[in-house]
């Protein structure tokens, strides 16, 4: 609208100028000055309009891009919200399931702890019974200890066997007979008999080749006496030979070697109940 008005003013001015036949030089110059001012204003206005039109186009483009970004953000928000709702529902289900699992495991753990408590209690009672039953043999090299939940009855070789022999002597039979009385009263106890030697080379023992042989044969001699003579259940028994490889002391002197030559009877409660709970 302004452009039309400005053009009309210039046109009117030009018409006036041309319609005047005679003008004084002063008026003529004044009119020319006014004409130049109008043209200058017109050109500046055109430039401003063009700038405004460019700015309007840029703003329109920016608005369009912002609208696209907004739509994209809205889509992402909807996706995130849907995933959150799904996760929330799944989490509630998982939490409920985990709570149930934890409660079951806690119950099972308490049951395992109770079984272990009973085992430890039974082990201590067994140790006391054995100590009382075998009290008369402690001076002959018999000891009763608890290690790792098991009772270890350790008998020095001189209590059971003559030197270099695998035949149990009378004093050893008396000790094993007292031990068997307690074992037969404890049917839930597994029995492992381990033979141990020092590191001295075996000489003149017939078919016995080395300390391995000696430890195994002494172990089986004890097992046979307990099962065949004292009637301890064979199914509860295990015989092994450790040779010289699990010493209690150094093999550099008589005292150390004497400690190493021994029979260890390892008594452990049957843990079927505990294994079932763990499974």
């Amino acid at each position: 609208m302004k452009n039309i008005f400005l053009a009309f003013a210039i046109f009117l001015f030009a018409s006036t100028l041309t319609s005047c036949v005679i003008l004084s030089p002063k008026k003529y110059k004044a009119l020319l000055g006014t004409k130049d001012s109008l043209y200058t204003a017109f050109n500046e206005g055109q430039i401003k309009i063009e700038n405004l039109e460019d700015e309007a186009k840029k703003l329109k483009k920016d608005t369009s891009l912002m609208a696209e970004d907004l739509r994209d953000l809205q889509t992402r928000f909807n996706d995130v919200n849907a995933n959150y709702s799904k996760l929330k529902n799944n989490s509630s289900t998982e939490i409920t399931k985990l709570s149930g699992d934890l409660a079951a495991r806690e119950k099972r753990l308490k049951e395992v702890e109770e079984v272990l408590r009973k085992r430890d209690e039974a082990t201590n009672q067994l140790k006391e019974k054995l100590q009382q039953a075998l009290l008369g043999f402690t001076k002959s090299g018999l000891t009763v200890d608890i290690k790792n939940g098991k009772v270890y009855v350790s008998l020095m070789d001189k209590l059971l066997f003559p030197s270099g022999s695998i035949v149990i002597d009378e004093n050893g039979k008396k000790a094993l007979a007292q031990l068997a009385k307690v074992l037969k009263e404890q049917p839930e106890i597994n029995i492992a008999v381990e033979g141990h030697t020092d590191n001295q080379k075996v000489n003149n023992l017939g078919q016995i080749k080395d300390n391995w042989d000696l430890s195994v044969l002494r172990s089986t001699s004890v097992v046979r006496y307990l099962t065949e003579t004292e009637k301890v259940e064979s199914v509860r028994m295990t015989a092994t030979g450790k040779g010289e490889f699990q010493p209690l002391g150094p093999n550099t002197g008589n005292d150390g070697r004497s400690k190493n030559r021994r029979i260890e009877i390892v008594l452990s409660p049957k843990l079927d109940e505990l294994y079932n709970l763990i499974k």
Side-chain angles (χ1 to χ4, degrees):
M1 192 71 179
K2 291 181 179 180
N3 290 344
I4 296 173
F5 176 76
L6 184 58
F8 177 74
I10 295 172
F11 172 75
L12 182 62
F13 175 77
S15 299
T16 303
L17 184 61
T18 54
S19 63
C20 296
V21 179
I22 299 173
L23 290 174
S24 64
K26 185 177 182 180
K27 287 183 177 182
Y28 180 73
K29 288 181 180 180
L31 287 172
L32 288 176
T34 302
K35 174 187 173 185
D36 292 340
S37 297
L38 289 173
Y39 271 116
T40 300
F42 174 76
N43 290 331
E44 290 176 353
Q46 283 290 103
I47 292 172
K48 289 181 179 179
I49 290 171
E50 291 174 357
N51 290 336
L52 289 172
E53 287 177 348
D54 291 341
E55 190 67 26
K57 289 179 181 178
K58 183 179 179 182
L59 289 173
K60 185 176 180 180
K61 182 178 180 181
D62 291 343
T63 301
S64 178
L65 292 174
M66 290 177 66
E68 289 180 4
D69 290 341
L70 180 61
R71 285 192 296 271
D72 183 56
L73 288 173
Q74 185 65 46
T75 300
R76 293 184 183 181
F77 172 78
N78 292 337
D79 291 342
V80 170
N81 193 44
N83 289 333
Y84 171 75
S85 299
K86 184 177 179 180
L87 287 172
K88 184 177 180 181
N89 293 333
N90 290 339
S91 296
S92 299
T93 303
E94 289 297 322
I95 288 172
T96 302
K97 183 180 178 181
L98 286 173
S99 298
D101 290 344
L102 288 174
R105 290 185 181 185
E106 184 176 357
K107 179 182 177 182
R108 189 174 300 169
L109 178 60
K110 289 181 179 179
E111 292 173 347
V112 170
E113 289 175 346
E114 179 63 15
V115 171
L116 292 175
R117 186 192 66 77
K118 290 180 180 178
R119 183 206 67 176
D120 292 340
E121 184 178 318
T123 301
N124 288 324
Q125 291 176 356
L126 177 61
K127 177 187 176 184
E128 292 176 3
K129 289 181 180 181
L130 289 169
Q131 285 177 327
Q132 293 174 3
L134 300 170
L135 185 62
F137 300 94
T138 54
K139 292 182 179 180
S140 299
L142 184 147
T143 59
V144 182
D145 295 300
I146 293 178
K147 292 185 288 184
N148 302 320
K150 301 177 182 180
V151 177
Y152 283 73
V153 181
S154 181
L155 304 96
M156 296 179 66
D157 70 329
K158 65 181 181 180
L159 177 59
L160 296 174
F161 304 99
S163 178
S165 175
I166 61 172
V167 179
I168 302 172
D169 62 22
E170 292 303 316
N171 196 42
K173 291 178 181 179
K174 291 178 182 179
L176 293 177
Q178 290 297 107
L179 174 64
K181 289 180 181 179
V182 178
L183 296 181
K184 285 188 285 188
E185 294 173 355
Q186 305 289 329
E188 296 302 314
I189 299 297
N190 289 320
I191 307 160
V193 180
E194 298 178 353
H196 298 266
T197 68
D198 57 24
N199 66 346
Q200 299 300 295
K201 186 177 179 180
V202 174
N203 293 313
N204 302 320
L205 291 180
Q207 294 182 346
I208 299 175
K209 296 179 180 180
D210 52 25
N211 283 318
W212 277 117
D213 276 356
L214 181 61
S215 64
V216 171
L217 292 173
R218 282 183 168 180
S219 174
T220 53
S221 293
V222 172
V223 168
R224 286 196 180 94
Y225 184 83
L226 290 174
T227 56
E228 296 174 2
T229 303
E230 297 300 331
K231 306 305 179 184
V232 178
E233 292 177 301
S234 300
V235 70
R236 299 165 57 192
M237 305 290 295
T238 303
T240 59
K242 304 289 186 177
E244 63 196 70
F245 301 104
Q246 291 187 9
L248 294 179
N251 281 302
T252 54
N254 290 330
D255 289 341
R257 288 194 292 269
S258 178
K259 290 180 180 179
N260 296 334
R261 296 191 302 269
R262 68 197 188 279
I263 290 290
E264 286 191 342
I265 300 175
V266 185
L267 310 175
S268 56
K270 293 181 180 179
L271 299 177
D272 295 343
E273 183 181 0
L274 179 60
Y275 293 147
N276 290 334
L277 285 173
I278 292 173
K279 289 179 181 179

